[in-house]
Amino acid sequence: MERQKYKARYSTKLPNGDFLSLTVWPGKTDPSAEVVTIQVRRQAAEGWETVGRLAVYRTSDGRYALLPERQQPVTGSTPEPEAPAQAKSYEQ
């Protein structure tokens, strides 16, 4: 299986040494939809640790849904986002 390529990725180092990142992924079933993830990570003894994470699904017609929290591996690279399931919907 080919690894999914993000559409955009931005990151900045915070004053305490943590990193804040924003990544935009294409939807898995609808490529015109997007998954936006925002996370704070820090270097730990065993590798990178995710301190906080927020993921939002944006449909192709502009509706937003907060994705449920999921377990994040403590070390390793950032995994691909999941498709929305039982998400809370928010209209703008």
Side-chain angles (χ1 to χ4, degrees), residues 66-68 82-88:
L66 180 64
L67 293 172
E82 299 287 328
Q86 303 294 323
K88 297 177 185 175

Side-chain angles (χ1 to χ4, degrees), residues 2-9 23-27 35 80-81:
E2 185 176 319
R3 184 171 171 92
Q4 190 176 26
K5 174 87 169 119
Y6 56 83
K7 290 182 173 184
R9 178 173 277 176
T23 307
V24 179
W25 302 88
V35 176
E80 296 175 23

Side-chain angles (χ1 to χ4, degrees), residues 57-70:
Y57 186 79
R58 181 186 179 278
T59 62
S60 56
D61 62 353
R63 287 181 286 150
Y64 293 85
L66 180 64
L67 293 172
E69 290 185 35
R70 62 185 175 91

Side-chain angles (χ1 to χ4, degrees):
M1 186 167 112
E2 185 176 319
R3 184 171 171 92
Q4 190 176 26
K5 174 87 169 119
Y6 56 83
K7 290 182 173 184
R9 178 173 277 176
Y10 301 95
S11 181
T12 188
K13 189 172 185 177
L14 300 175
N16 68 352
D18 292 351
F19 283 86
L20 173 67
S21 67
L22 177 137
T23 307
V24 179
W25 302 88
K28 287 185 177 182
T29 56
D30 179 2
S32 61
E34 296 175 331
V35 176
V36 179
T37 60
I38 301 165
Q39 61 183 3
V40 176
R41 294 175 57 99
R42 72 172 48 125
Q43 185 102 37
E46 299 85 32
W48 288 96
E49 150 182 69
T50 299
V51 178
R53 182 175 187 273
L54 178 70
V56 175
Y57 186 79
R58 181 186 179 278
T59 62
S60 56
D61 62 353
R63 287 181 286 150
Y64 293 85
L66 180 64
L67 293 172
E69 290 185 35
R70 62 185 175 91
Q71 289 294 350
Q72 189 80 335
V74 175
T75 60
S77 63
T78 304
E80 296 175 23
E82 299 287 328
Q86 303 294 323
K88 297 177 185 175
S89 184
Y90 298 90
E91 301 272 334
Q92 245 192 344

